[in-house]
Amino acid sequence: MVNNHVTEVPEQTTKARLLDGDFLKRLRRLRLMVSKRFVGGAGGARQSLRRGSSVEFADHRAYVPGDDIRRIDWNAYARLDELVLRLYVAEEDLSVTVLIDSSASMSVGKPPKFDTAKRVAAALSYVALSGGERVGVTPFSTSIARPLPPSRGLARAPRVFRYLEEMQASGETSLRRSIDAFVARRGRPGLVLLISDFLDPAGYESAIDRLLSEKHEVSLFHIVDEEELYPTLGGDLRLIDSETGDAVEVSLDARTLKAYEARVDAYLEALQRYAKRRRVGYLQVGGGEPFEESLLRYLSGASATGIRR
Amino acid sequence: MSFLSPWSFLWLLLIGPLVALYILRRRRQERVIASTLLWQEALADLRAERPWRRLVPQVSLLLQILAIIAGSLALARPSGSASIPSGAQLAIIVDASSSMAAFANGEETRFELARNAAQAYADDLPPGGRMMLIESGRETAVLSPLTSDRHALSTAVDRLQIRGTSANLEEAVAIASERLADSPEGSRIVILTDGSQQGEVELLAALPIEVQEVTIASGYQDQNLGIVDADVRPRPEEGADRADIFARVLNPSSEPRDVFVIAELMPGQQALASRRLRIDSEQSSGVVLQVDLPPDDQGRAAHVGLRLEPADGLPDVFALDDQVVLPSPGARRLPVFVIGTPPQSVMRALRTDSEVELFRTSLPALAEREEQTPLDGLQIFCGDVPAEAPGGDSIVFAPNQNQVFEARLADGERGNITDWSEADPRLRFANLGRVRFGEARDISGMTPLVQSSAGVIAAGIERPAGETTLFSFNPDQSNWPSDPSFVIVMRNLLERARNRRASGGIPDGPLGESLRVPASDQRSVEVETPSGATIEAPVQGGLAIVPIQAEPGVYRAEVGERELFAMRNHLSESESDISHRAVFVTGEGQTLAGVEAPEERSDLWQWVGLLLLLILALEIAWATRSVSGRPSERRRRAA
């Protein structure tokens, strides 16, 4: 649904760095959809799991002392000769959290994966804000860093963009500790958009499982670099881990590259299989394809699992 | 193998610092990547699949260590005594004397060892090197000129054979020195010999000479018994067929030996007599065996064979001198066919020889003979002569024709003898200075024997099947029959004819010398060797040259309907002593025998150089290898 407030967004400051105007126009026609219903803190455009006082009828139940007598369905009383209450679906705004990986490994790549991650985060935030959702941004590496508190309204988009632009990538990746910290800080479940390269030696499964167990709806945005997928290295190299500083000496020949590529394939396939098994949205961004194309295709529903138009 | 510069191996100490530097300061291009997680897993996969891949990062170090080792080896200058410097020229002289036929060990003869060594030189000939092969027997033969063609050299090595009972190494060295004049540095002459020559062998050459003596195993140095002299003489006073066989047996070894000397009638090897001898060390002993030797059906008699058989169980490593064949006395009977009217003086001379059987005939009678085989004896033509020379030996006195065989005769003149060929065996011991002849005709077309003021009055010609002696005057019309030289010349002529017939019609020769078989009407002849092998040789110019090996015994040749034969014996005291006695000296008197100067193994340089280049190429390839821009299969699939 298109929000009229979009005209108020200071596009001059955003399109030059993160998103261009044409892309923003295309994003305006999109909305984030979730498969779950969440209990929101304020009335919003989304249905709350609580039945409330909005106009959309939900159900009847028997009157018990203490109920608001204004909700008694007198027409039903006339016909059934008993007191019943009309219940309505409580409409509530969706809480969207963008968890963005700001570890040092994200600073590597051409362009740096962190740039791509920030653009994806900006685009997703823009879509969410244009849909009237409450959007917060939480960077993480070893643990979560100072987050951008949730806010609603497209007018907040410049703030979100500025926040993203100012972010720096550093530190080691620890998905589990970061998710644990995030869950501990944020009690209400919502939509979590997890943007990362998922290169965590400890794995990603337990961290994402923790999110799912806390009733969050999760979508994974896997940022990859083309050089990571199709390395063009050669000769005797000392490969330095950008996060740990650990070194691996390799003599790169065709057989070594083939073994690496087999490992990359297995890693990507495992992540996709995991997402499918957990009914978690998954999108691979980067790797030579412009992120706008893959993101638009994903948001338009072609391959989305947890996000619908 | 030894090393001319072993201190160069100190360069190997560089390996220590190299390894230290490699470990401490190995520089690899560093690349910061997002995470090494997947790389570590990929390397673990590879190591599980190929454990030796742990060494792959060290390939550069290994190559550098190999380069240091190869370089040190090259600088150490490996050397050996059997190598040939690159581009050098080599003359291999193989001693082909009969002593080389002695066994050097239980399996191979000295000659086989020498031949193997010559073949090894041919095989090891480096690029650019050339080699010639000389066989040094009784005569020196260049079997292969200087060539780098290994196939030609191998063929020449295969042609090496023991020739005769001596080796003229000095002559062989002189030939080699001449052929290798102006040869590049490193060229040399190699002599492969057993050193059994007697006394000093002076080797004069302008380039180094290396004497390589074949290795002779213990017990094979001098264990030999050999017949070094033999003869058969008739003893008519004791019987028509009675004969004495004389033999002298040599024991050159360092201990006394017992031996049986056995006389046999050949062919058939019918034992005639046997005697046991004990011969002290380095001594010879004579023996006389009395036997009866009846003539064969051709009046030539059989051959007599003598052979040795050790009676003490000790080995005899040299077999060539263990048997001898001799013509029996019956072969000395000479049929003489007188054609025409002979001078009285000639007839008297013939009748005085008790071993001459005279036959009178004429040219028409000879023409009516049904047999076409040549007369087996001496033919004497007086007056008329046939148009073509007969087979065998012949003498012509005062021919009527102007053309006698190959010679032309002029008209008769009177004159005095002015000169004669004293070296010719027919005129041996003859003094013709007092001879006066009535009338003689000048002879042309034959070898002059007697010169006179009227020209050549006696001449001769040698043919493969025999010789003709032509006297252009009648002895009865001169004072020659009253001169002792007449009887001497007649006996010389009869003796030559007798010897030729007794020797089987094939000229006599030393052991191993090719047979010269007269066969004017044949295209080729076949010769059966004493061991029963057959050798075929083509006939050229009425003569077949049949190469034979050094094998003592009787060689038989079928030429038309005639059977010719030849005898070959060792009979060499020098060669029967197979012990090492030679002293090889150069022009400066320096003894080189047994000395093998270390020669730089230049052939190894090529391999070391090749190894270094290979290592360098590998190092460069390894250091500069890159897969940048290589289209990945996954990338292609992804695209």
Side-chain angles (χ1 to χ4, degrees):
Chain A
M1 180 175 288
V2 178
N3 191 311
N4 291 331
H5 289 105
V6 70
T7 53
E8 298 170 9
V9 175
E11 294 181 5
Q12 295 301 319
T13 59
T14 59
K15 71 180 178 184
R17 295 190 175 177
L18 292 177
L19 308 172
D20 62 31
D22 291 339
F23 185 54
L24 286 175
K25 287 176 184 173
R26 298 176 70 181
L27 289 176
R28 279 181 212 140
R29 294 194 293 268
L30 301 174
R31 285 216 38 204
L32 299 178
M33 297 296 288
V34 293
S35 57
K36 296 178 181 176
R37 291 180 178 176
F38 298 96
V39 176
R46 296 182 180 277
Q47 292 178 330
S48 170
L49 289 177
R50 294 177 183 171
R51 292 174 178 85
S53 56
S54 65
V55 293
E56 187 178 348
F57 173 75
D59 203 354
H60 285 94
R61 72 168 170 84
Y63 171 78
V64 293
D67 285 341
D68 186 355
I69 58 172
R70 290 175 297 179
R71 296 194 177 185
I72 294 175
D73 187 345
W74 299 109
N75 290 331
Y77 174 72
R79 287 167 179 79
L80 301 174
D81 199 17
E82 59 177 314
L83 290 173
V84 292
L85 292 182
R86 286 182 66 90
L87 302 180
Y88 298 91
V89 175
E91 290 187 347
E92 198 169 339
D93 58 339
L94 175 62
S95 176
V96 177
T97 301
V98 178
L99 273 175
I100 180 167
D101 184 351
S102 63
S103 65
S105 67
M106 296 293 286
S107 63
V108 177
K110 290 180 180 178
K113 288 190 287 186
F114 199 45
D115 288 0
T116 306
K118 286 195 280 191
R119 290 184 171 201
V120 170
L124 291 172
S125 300
Y126 189 81
V127 172
L129 289 172
S130 65
E133 320 295 358
R134 287 162 52 85
V135 176
V137 179
T138 302
F140 71 93
S141 55
T142 310
S143 183
I144 58 174
R146 183 184 62 82
L148 177 68
S151 58
R152 184 165 51 187
L154 200 54
R156 298 289 184 179
R159 183 176 166 221
V160 173
F161 292 165
R162 275 197 303 276
Y163 177 82
L164 290 172
E165 286 173 357
E166 292 169 358
M167 278 174 33
Q168 298 292 326
S170 64
E172 297 181 27
T173 303
S174 178
L175 272 172
R176 178 63 201 236
R177 285 171 60 186
S178 300
I179 296 298
D180 286 347
F182 169 73
V183 168
R185 184 173 294 186
R186 182 167 179 86
R188 283 172 55 192
L191 177 59
V192 175
L193 306 176
L194 180 53
I195 303 172
S196 174
D197 56 8
F198 296 101
L199 291 174
D200 187 347
Y204 48 78
E205 293 91 340
S206 64
I208 299 172
D209 286 348
R210 177 75 198 280
L211 281 175
L212 294 175
S213 67
E214 294 295 329
K215 308 302 182 186
H216 290 286
E217 184 156 340
V218 179
S219 285
L220 308 180
F221 295 88
H222 187 188
I223 310 298
V224 295
D225 176 50
E226 188 178 13
E227 181 65 22
E228 279 180 4
L229 298 182
Y230 315 109
T232 57
L233 303 173
D236 294 329
L237 293 179
R238 183 180 171 88
L239 301 178
I240 310 293
D241 192 302
S242 60
E243 294 184 1
T244 64
D246 293 343
V248 174
E249 291 185 350
V250 293
S251 296
L252 285 178
D253 53 16
R255 194 179 298 277
T256 307
L257 285 175
K258 192 175 178 182
Y260 172 77
E261 290 174 352
R263 269 292 165 183
V264 170
D265 285 345
Y267 192 79
L268 295 176
E269 189 181 352
L271 185 53
Q272 290 173 18
R273 199 165 50 240
Y274 170 81
K276 191 173 183 181
R277 196 164 60 244
R278 293 287 194 273
R279 297 181 182 279
V280 168
Y282 174 83
L283 176 64
Q284 180 181 305
V285 183
E289 185 183 15
F291 87 97
E292 293 94 340
E293 296 298 323
S294 50
L295 193 61
L296 286 173
R297 190 170 61 246
Y298 181 77
L299 291 176
S300 65
S303 58
T305 304
I307 299 178
R308 300 269 161 65
R309 178 158 43 164
Chain B
M1 187 193 310
S2 58
F3 297 93
L4 297 180
S5 180
W7 288 100
S8 298
F9 281 119
L10 289 176
W11 287 103
L12 292 176
L13 296 177
L14 285 177
I15 293 176
L18 174 69
V19 173
L21 281 173
Y22 203 84
I23 293 172
L24 296 176
R25 296 183 60 84
R26 186 172 51 179
R27 299 178 68 87
R28 285 173 175 264
Q29 189 179 355
E30 292 190 347
R31 283 286 186 90
V32 176
I33 61 171
S35 172
T36 57
L37 175 66
L38 297 179
W39 283 106
Q40 287 173 338
E41 292 176 349
L43 291 177
D45 291 345
L46 283 175
R47 284 168 188 156
E49 184 183 348
R50 292 181 174 81
W52 50 266
R53 283 193 63 87
R54 289 175 186 277
L55 292 175
V56 170
Q58 319 301 336
V59 164
S60 192
L61 173 64
L62 293 174
L63 288 174
Q64 288 164 13
I65 290 175
L66 277 176
I68 290 177
I69 293 173
S72 301
L73 182 67
L75 290 172
R77 299 168 66 196
S79 66
S81 59
S83 65
I84 309 165
S86 179
Q89 294 180 353
L90 195 65
I92 303 294
I93 298 172
V94 178
D95 182 349
S97 64
S98 58
S99 64
M100 294 288 283
F103 275 90
N105 51 53
E107 297 177 349
E108 294 172 295
T109 65
R110 303 172 179 187
F111 194 68
E112 286 168 343
L113 291 181
R115 182 153 52 187
N116 293 343
Q119 183 63 56
Y121 273 109
D123 293 341
D124 291 342
L125 203 60
R130 295 198 296 164
M131 173 177 149
M132 68 181 296
L133 184 65
I134 299 176
E135 180 186 83
S136 177
R138 192 178 62 84
E139 294 177 352
T140 302
V142 178
L143 297 187
S144 170
L146 273 175
T147 180
S148 56
D149 186 347
R150 298 185 182 191
H151 178 71
L153 288 170
S154 293
T155 304
V157 169
D158 289 341
R159 287 166 50 207
L160 278 170
Q161 284 191 356
I162 292 176
R163 312 277 185 186
T165 53
S166 62
N168 193 342
L169 293 177
E170 293 93 337
E171 182 182 271
V173 167
I175 291 175
S177 178
E178 181 187 353
R179 300 287 177 90
L180 263 59
D182 302 326
S183 55
E185 189 176 356
S187 301
R188 65 183 186 274
I189 299 171
V190 177
I191 301 174
L192 302 170
T193 180
D194 60 356
S196 70
Q197 292 88 341
Q198 182 67 44
E200 283 191 353
V201 180
E202 191 172 12
L203 307 173
L204 299 175
L207 63 166
I209 301 173
E210 182 181 332
V211 178
Q212 286 196 6
E213 294 174 5
V214 293
T215 305
I216 301 172
S218 175
Y220 290 83
Q221 288 93 342
D222 59 0
Q223 292 288 8
N224 182 39
L225 288 165
I227 303 171
V228 296
D229 199 3
D231 197 6
V232 182
R233 290 292 169 185
R235 187 174 282 275
E237 65 273 16
E238 295 187 6
D241 299 326
R242 179 55 61 94
D244 286 343
I245 301 176
F246 303 91
R248 195 157 58 86
V249 182
L250 175 70
N251 172 23
S253 63
S254 56
E255 52 189 322
R257 297 291 306 267
D258 291 312
V259 63
F260 287 110
V261 182
I262 303 167
E264 296 169 328
L265 193 63
M266 300 179 71
Q269 295 185 320
Q270 175 191 346
L272 297 173
S274 174
R275 182 75 54 82
R276 177 174 178 145
L277 292 180
R278 181 172 182 80
I279 311 172
D280 291 335
S281 64
E282 300 179 4
Q283 298 294 321
S284 62
S285 177
V287 62
V288 180
L289 302 172
Q290 285 194 338
V291 295
D292 287 325
L293 296 172
D296 64 1
D297 52 359
Q298 292 186 348
R300 287 182 170 183
H303 296 98
V304 180
L306 278 178
R307 64 181 175 89
L308 301 180
E309 198 171 290
D312 51 11
L314 294 174
D316 183 348
V317 300
F318 184 48
L320 293 185
D321 59 359
D322 291 346
Q323 59 177 324
V324 167
V325 288
L326 303 164
S328 74
R332 295 186 60 80
R333 294 183 181 128
L334 177 66
V336 175
F337 301 91
V338 179
I339 301 105
T341 305
Q344 293 296 320
S345 55
V346 172
M347 288 303 291
R348 281 198 302 273
L350 292 176
R351 288 194 183 99
T352 57
D353 192 327
S354 61
E355 292 179 339
V356 164
E357 295 180 67
L358 271 174
F359 298 93
R360 295 288 298 272
T361 183
S362 63
L363 282 181
L366 284 178
E368 290 175 1
R369 286 179 70 222
E370 292 183 359
E371 300 174 64
Q372 296 304 312
T373 54
L375 295 174
D376 184 22
L378 175 66
Q379 299 170 61
I380 298 177
F381 297 96
C382 306
D384 292 334
V385 294
E388 293 185 2
D393 294 333
S394 57
I395 304 173
V396 179
F397 287 104
N400 297 328
Q401 296 92 332
N402 293 332
Q403 180 79 37
V404 178
F405 311 146
E406 294 88 346
R408 291 189 61 80
L409 285 83
D411 293 337
E413 288 184 32
R414 302 177 68 87
N416 300 321
I417 291 178
T418 57
D419 192 17
W420 63 94
S421 177
E422 296 179 16
D424 192 282
R426 284 165 285 196
L427 301 182
R428 194 171 54 161
F429 306 130
N431 185 352
L432 303 179
R434 295 181 296 275
V435 175
R436 301 287 182 272
F437 56 90
E439 188 176 76
R441 304 168 69 186
D442 178 36
I443 306 170
S444 60
M446 286 187 178
T447 305
L449 293 177
V450 179
Q451 297 270 359
S452 75
S453 56
V456 176
I457 61 172
I461 188 165
E462 291 239 19
R463 303 186 199 88
E467 67 180 14
T468 295
T469 307
L470 170 60
F471 298 94
S472 66
F473 61 95
N474 189 339
D476 287 351
Q477 297 175 5
S478 70
N479 66 344
W480 192 26
S482 60
D483 191 86
S485 62
F486 179 74
V487 178
I488 292 173
V489 170
M490 286 303 294
R491 284 195 64 86
N492 286 344
L493 291 170
L494 292 173
E495 199 64 23
R496 283 175 64 79
R498 183 178 288 117
N499 287 339
R500 190 189 304 277
R501 184 173 179 275
S503 65
I506 300 173
D508 199 8
L511 186 69
E513 186 182 85
S514 298
L515 303 179
R516 301 168 68 84
V517 181
S520 57
D521 52 352
Q522 303 289 316
R523 288 188 175 180
S524 65
V525 297
E526 277 191 359
V527 172
E528 183 184 0
T529 67
S531 58
T534 301
I535 304 172
E536 185 173 358
V539 175
Q540 290 183 339
L543 190 68
I545 309 295
V546 184
I548 58 172
Q549 297 186 17
E551 182 182 3
V554 180
Y555 294 78
R556 300 181 186 280
E558 294 267 350
V559 180
E561 296 183 6
R562 295 174 60 197
E563 184 188 72
L564 304 180
F565 60 85
M567 287 166 288
R568 293 290 188 267
N569 293 312
H570 187 259
L571 295 180
S572 169
E573 186 169 349
S574 170
E575 288 294 306
S576 286
D577 185 352
I578 59 173
S579 60
H580 181 281
R581 291 158 292 145
V583 178
F584 296 97
V585 295
T586 64
E588 293 75 28
Q590 181 186 1
T591 301
L592 291 179
V595 175
E596 293 184 358
E599 298 289 338
E600 200 151 355
R601 290 298 300 265
S602 55
D603 52 340
L604 277 183
W605 277 93
Q606 303 164 39
W607 295 108
V608 172
L610 193 65
L611 180 64
L612 275 172
L613 286 176
L614 184 65
I615 293 172
L616 188 63
L618 285 173
E619 172 67 10
I620 291 173
W622 186 260
T624 59
R625 77 192 192 286
S626 172
V627 293
S628 299
R630 180 183 59 85
S632 162
E633 188 64 29
R634 283 176 64 251
R635 184 192 289 271
R636 283 199 297 272
R637 285 202 306 268

